[in-house]
């Protein structure tokens, strides 16, 4: 079967989108697979999974895989690139595991056998992930960033005068180390005698380096220059940004400085440009909740909110929602801060506060653009909240995010914006509250018997049984740590979430000013699985640990 037909059979592509892709292909002369990925109809990963199923080859998500240095040392980069494979790992039974993008790539098998004397074991990976991983793996093999930073720290400790080039290189390498670790934030924290560098990886801070305090002013000044900030201003907080191209990816760095008693503290948010779009089924919600979300995002009007703290995957969920909405049939407009994924047939705009273009102004003007669906990046003030309510009542589907601890507390949060209770109850369709929990590494996780103390931590009774949904928990898995997961015990993250669908009774309760306890009771009766219950489910499925659920959900 042709690729388009197979994708349609798997429910990943519709006939009208295939027709649009074929029309696009005639103009651009690109391959159908590339066209579908570029238009955002399917992801590179979904195409690879489809090819893997056809060929009977196991698929791995390369973005959550740690490539072995020992493996890539055995294969020169030019040969790996030319033959279309990437060395992944060496096994104890004399195999080399490799990733390919073409299931019929026999040249890769021959190359592995000739160069290493090992037998090849093939895995399917996606084309985008292949290119990115290949470049990253060989770059950091040739440029041992961790070693370069360690040498610079030794030089700083023994020097009386610090060369400007040493500080510049150190600052750059500290950021590159963040990219190597796939961190979302880089913290540069001064203390009385040292400067400590931390990296937030999968939502958790990891200590990176301890540097002599004498280098602090130089590092701060270098980062400020890169971010076009005022290097002479040390008494007030400042915000800036800069771009860092790295092979095919453009990293946007958002810099924030805050004066502390020991000097300026710097946090750099790492935005890795356009990643791969996920479908709702791939986020981590269970089958029932996924079906509820798919139904919600087909509604013609109303407000759907995604809540959670910073870094909980709210934007990813909203983009997955946009994939459920057919942009060929419905006019979709977004305002974001910033635009993280680029979508064809979706009219995307980015907040520009200096020019006065914020969520509220965008929302007002979107109403003149004949919209069907509006995505407002965040409801953060009264005006944006009012515009979202008005748009939903006048026949538009509005998607947005809000900061609240869980689904039910989003209601008083919205009422804080002076929204009329009746208007809110009439327009609100659902609230999705979520967290991102780390997944246990499959190579090193270990099984154990759960103690009574641990059961109490996640509010289970003595026999390990959940009060709400009857999940029984006697054994679980915990993190250990190995070379495949960087000794953290975890690889990648998945969603733990609750979905509060607003039915007619809940509308009455919201309008009448019912308590949060009463609202939560009705939401659970209406089928809402709480955040904690969702977390316990993930533990029972051996995906995460009790410790991780306690850390994020409580």
């Amino acid at each position: 079967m042709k690729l388009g037909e197979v994708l349609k059979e798997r429910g990943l592509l519709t006939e009208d989108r295939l027709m649009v892709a074929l029309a696009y292909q005639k103009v651009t002369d690109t391959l159908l697979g590339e066209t579908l990925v570029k238009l955002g109809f399917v992801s590179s990963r979904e195409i690879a999974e489809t090819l893997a199923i056809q060929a009977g080859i196991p698929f791995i998500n390369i973005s959550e895989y740690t490539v072995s240095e020992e493996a890539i040392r055995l294969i020169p980069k030019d040969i790996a690139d030319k033959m279309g494979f990437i060395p992944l790992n060496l096994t104890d039974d004399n195999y080399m595991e490799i990733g390919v993008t073409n299931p019929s790539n026999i040249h890769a098998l021959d190359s592995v056998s000739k160069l290493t004397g090992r037998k090849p074991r093939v895995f399917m990976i996606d084309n985008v992930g292949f290119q990115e991983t290949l470049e990253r793996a060989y770059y950091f093999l040739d440029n041992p960033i961790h070693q370069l930073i360690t040498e610079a720290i030794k030089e700083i400790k023994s020097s009386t005068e610090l060369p400007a080039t040493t500080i510049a290189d150190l600052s750059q390498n500290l950021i590159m180390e963040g990219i190597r670790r796939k961190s979302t934030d880089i913290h540069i924290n001064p203390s009385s005698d040292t400067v400590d560098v931390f990296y937030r990886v999968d939502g958790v801070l990891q200590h990176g380096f301890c540097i002599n305090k004498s280098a602090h002013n130089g590092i701060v000044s270098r980062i400020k220059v890169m971010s076009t900030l005022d290097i002479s201003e040390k008494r007030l907080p400042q915000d800036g940004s800069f771009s860092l191209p790295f092979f095919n990816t453009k990293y946007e760095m958002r810099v924030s400085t805050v004066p502390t008693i020991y000097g300026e503290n710097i946090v750099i948010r790492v935005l890795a440009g356009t990643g791969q779009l996920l479908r709702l089924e791939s986020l981590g919600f269970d089958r029932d909740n996924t079906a509820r979300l798919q139904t919600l995002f087909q509604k013609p009007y109303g407000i759907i909110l995604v809540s959670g703290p910073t870094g909980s995957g709210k934007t990813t969920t909203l983009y997955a929602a946009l994939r459920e909405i057919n942009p060929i049939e419905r006019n979709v407009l977004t305002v974001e801060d910033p635009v993280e994924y680029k979508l064809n047939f979706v009219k995307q705009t980015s907040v520009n506060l200096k020019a006065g273009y914020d969520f509220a102004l965008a929302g007002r003007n979107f109403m003149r653009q004949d919209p069907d669906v509006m995505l407002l990046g965040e409801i953060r003030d009264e005006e944006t909240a009012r515009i979202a309510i008005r748009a939903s009542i006048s026949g538009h589907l509005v998607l947005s995010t809000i900061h609240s601890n869980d689904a039910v507390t989003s209601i008083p949060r919205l009422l804080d914006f002076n929204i009329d209770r009746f208007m809110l109850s009439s327009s609100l369709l659902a609230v999705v509250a979520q967290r991102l929990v780390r997944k246990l590494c499959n190579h090193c996780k270990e099984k154990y018997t759960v103690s009574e103390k641990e059961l109490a931590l996640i509010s289970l009774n003595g026999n390990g049984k959940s009060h709400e949904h009857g999940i029984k928990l006697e054994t679980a898995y915990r993190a250990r740590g190995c070379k495949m997961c960087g000794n953290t015990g975890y690889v990648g993250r998945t969603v733990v979430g609750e979905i509060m669908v607003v039915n007619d009774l809940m509308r009455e309760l919201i309008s009448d000013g019912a308590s949060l306890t009463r609202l939560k009771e009705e939401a659970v009766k209406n089928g809402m699985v709480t955040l904690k219950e969702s977390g316990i489910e993930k533990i029972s499925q051996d995906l995460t640990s009790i410790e991780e659920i306690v850390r994020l959900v409580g």
Side-chain angles (χ1 to χ4, degrees):
M1 293 174 69
K2 292 182 179 179
L3 178 62
E5 296 302 318
V6 178
L7 292 169
K8 279 170 57 182
E9 192 179 80
R10 291 191 65 210
L12 300 173
L13 187 64
T14 57
E15 180 65 28
D16 58 346
R17 294 190 181 192
L18 178 58
M19 291 300 104
V20 170
L22 291 171
Y24 187 95
Q25 186 187 18
K26 286 179 183 177
V27 176
T28 59
D29 292 327
T30 52
L31 295 171
L32 180 61
E34 291 176 19
T35 302
L36 291 169
V37 171
K38 191 165 187 179
L39 292 176
F41 292 160
V42 295
S43 69
S44 175
R45 188 179 305 165
E46 287 163 350
I47 288 178
E49 287 174 342
T50 301
L51 293 172
I53 290 169
Q54 277 189 303
I57 297 173
F59 171 84
I60 61 167
N61 182 0
I62 193 67
S63 65
E64 294 182 355
Y65 193 94
T66 303
V67 176
S68 162
E69 273 195 22
E70 291 85 357
I72 59 175
R73 283 184 191 279
L74 296 178
I75 306 288
K77 182 190 174 186
D78 57 338
I79 291 177
D81 197 3
K82 183 180 177 183
M83 297 300 174
F85 75 96
I86 182 168
L88 298 175
N89 189 34
L90 302 177
T91 67
D92 294 335
D93 54 353
N94 202 38
Y95 276 91
M96 172 180 273
E97 296 177 343
I98 62 170
V100 300
T101 58
N102 180 356
S104 57
N105 186 351
I106 59 170
H107 299 296
L109 309 184
D110 292 339
S111 299
V112 169
S113 300
K114 288 176 183 176
L115 291 171
T116 68
R118 288 174 172 259
K119 293 174 283 188
R121 182 174 288 154
V122 180
F123 293 87
M124 195 75 188
I125 61 176
D126 68 276
N127 193 51
V128 173
F130 167 76
Q131 291 296 337
E132 186 181 335
T133 306
L134 185 76
E135 298 293 350
R136 284 173 62 95
Y138 282 98
Y139 175 84
F140 288 117
L141 182 67
D142 296 335
N143 300 273
I145 299 294
H146 193 280
Q147 184 182 326
L148 294 172
I149 292 171
T150 304
E151 289 170 359
I153 291 170
K154 287 180 182 176
E155 184 182 343
I156 289 165
K157 184 181 178 181
S158 60
S159 300
T160 51
E161 290 187 20
L162 297 177
T165 53
T166 300
I167 294 297
D169 290 344
L170 175 61
S171 304
Q172 180 84 359
N173 286 334
L174 289 173
I175 295 168
M176 292 301 293
E177 175 67 7
I179 291 174
R180 188 187 72 81
R181 294 188 185 211
K182 300 179 183 178
S183 60
T184 55
D185 300 86
I186 303 167
H187 292 244
I188 299 173
N189 307 149
S191 61
S192 56
D193 302 312
T194 62
V195 179
D196 291 289
V197 182
F198 292 86
Y199 298 95
R200 187 175 294 278
V201 181
D202 287 338
V204 179
L205 283 176
Q206 299 177 357
H207 186 267
F209 304 96
C210 187
I211 306 170
N212 195 289
K213 186 66 180 287
S214 61
H216 178 247
N217 288 336
I219 293 170
V220 170
S221 295
R222 176 61 184 167
I223 293 172
K224 280 187 171 183
V225 168
M226 293 166 73
S227 314
T228 61
L229 297 177
D230 184 355
I231 61 172
S232 63
E233 179 56 76
K234 300 182 180 181
R235 300 164 299 171
L236 296 172
Q238 295 187 68
D239 292 308
S241 62
F242 63 94
S243 298
L244 184 64
F246 182 69
F247 294 108
N248 298 323
T249 305
K250 187 179 182 182
Y251 290 85
E252 296 292 335
M253 306 289 177
R254 293 191 156 194
V255 179
S256 171
T257 72
V258 172
T260 72
I261 57 172
Y262 296 118
E264 289 180 278
N265 190 81
I266 290 182
V267 176
I268 303 171
R269 167 62 57 89
V270 183
L271 300 172
T274 55
Q276 292 211 47
L277 287 173
L278 298 176
R279 292 184 185 270
L280 286 175
E281 304 97 296
S282 307
L283 295 178
F285 291 105
D286 63 40
R287 187 177 296 176
D288 291 341
N289 276 336
T290 299
R292 296 176 96 192
L293 287 172
Q294 287 170 331
T295 302
L296 283 167
F297 292 125
Q298 296 304 320
K299 297 284 185 183
Y301 54 83
I303 296 177
I304 301 172
L305 296 175
V306 183
S307 75
T310 302
S312 59
K314 299 188 294 293
T315 303
T316 302
T317 299
L318 283 181
Y319 276 110
L322 289 182
R323 293 194 70 183
E324 295 296 317
I325 297 164
N326 190 348
I328 299 170
E329 296 178 350
R330 302 173 80 180
N331 186 23
V332 183
L333 295 99
T334 79
V335 56
E336 305 162 62
D337 184 22
V339 173
E340 293 186 33
Y341 301 86
K342 292 177 183 175
L343 299 169
N344 277 277
F345 306 108
V346 175
K347 278 61 74 178
Q348 296 174 275
T349 66
S350 187
V351 165
N352 187 338
L353 297 179
K354 288 182 181 177
Y357 185 66
D358 57 11
F359 292 120
L361 180 62
R364 283 200 304 273
N365 284 278
F366 280 0
M367 297 297 286
R368 304 188 192 102
Q369 290 279 315
D370 183 32
D372 293 300
V373 181
M374 294 165 51
L375 188 155
L376 305 177
E378 183 184 346
I379 294 179
R380 59 172 65 154
D381 55 47
E382 185 176 325
E383 189 177 4
T384 309
R386 288 181 183 277
I387 287 164
I389 296 286
R390 287 186 197 132
S392 65
I393 288 175
S394 59
H396 305 91
L397 182 64
V398 179
L399 312 177
S400 191
T401 67
I402 192 166
H403 286 280
S404 63
N405 289 330
D406 55 31
V408 175
T409 53
S410 297
I411 291 169
R413 180 88 174 93
L414 286 165
L415 293 172
D416 279 345
F417 294 131
N418 294 317
I419 300 298
D420 179 77
R421 283 186 177 274
F422 176 74
M423 296 280 277
L424 176 59
S425 65
S426 302
S427 59
L428 189 63
L429 289 174
V431 181
V432 181
Q434 65 180 61
R435 302 287 188 275
L436 288 178
V437 298
R438 294 180 295 172
K439 294 189 293 185
L440 286 164
C441 173
N442 287 323
H443 291 88
C444 64
K445 64 182 181 182
E446 63 178 6
K447 195 173 186 177
Y448 72 106
T449 302
V450 180
S451 68
E452 288 187 18
K453 183 179 178 182
E454 286 176 307
L455 290 173
L457 282 174
I458 52 176
S459 306
L460 295 186
N461 56 28
N463 64 0
K465 198 170 182 181
S466 161
H467 295 294
E468 293 178 39
H469 287 82
I471 299 171
K472 192 169 177 62
L473 200 66
E474 296 177 341
T475 60
Y477 280 85
R478 59 189 170 198
R480 278 183 58 199
C482 65
K483 65 177 183 178
M484 298 301 292
C485 59
N487 291 313
T488 63
Y490 298 93
V491 177
R493 291 189 287 179
T494 187
V495 161
V496 163
E498 62 184 21
I499 302 171
M500 181 184 76
V501 178
V502 180
N503 60 8
D504 290 339
L505 180 54
M506 285 200 70
R507 287 193 175 87
E508 287 183 27
L509 292 172
I510 293 168
S511 185
D512 295 342
S515 68
L516 290 181
T517 304
R518 180 70 186 91
L519 287 169
K520 186 172 181 179
E521 283 175 2
E522 180 54 34
V524 171
K525 278 184 188 176
N526 195 31
M528 182 179 85
V529 177
T530 64
L531 278 169
K532 183 165 281 187
E533 282 287 315
S534 180
I536 293 168
E537 239 176 77
K538 288 286 192 290
I539 297 168
S540 69
Q541 293 165 359
D542 306 334
L543 287 173
T544 192
S545 63
I546 292 175
E547 180 186 26
E548 184 70 359
I549 295 302
V550 171
R551 181 181 71 86
L552 278 167
V553 182

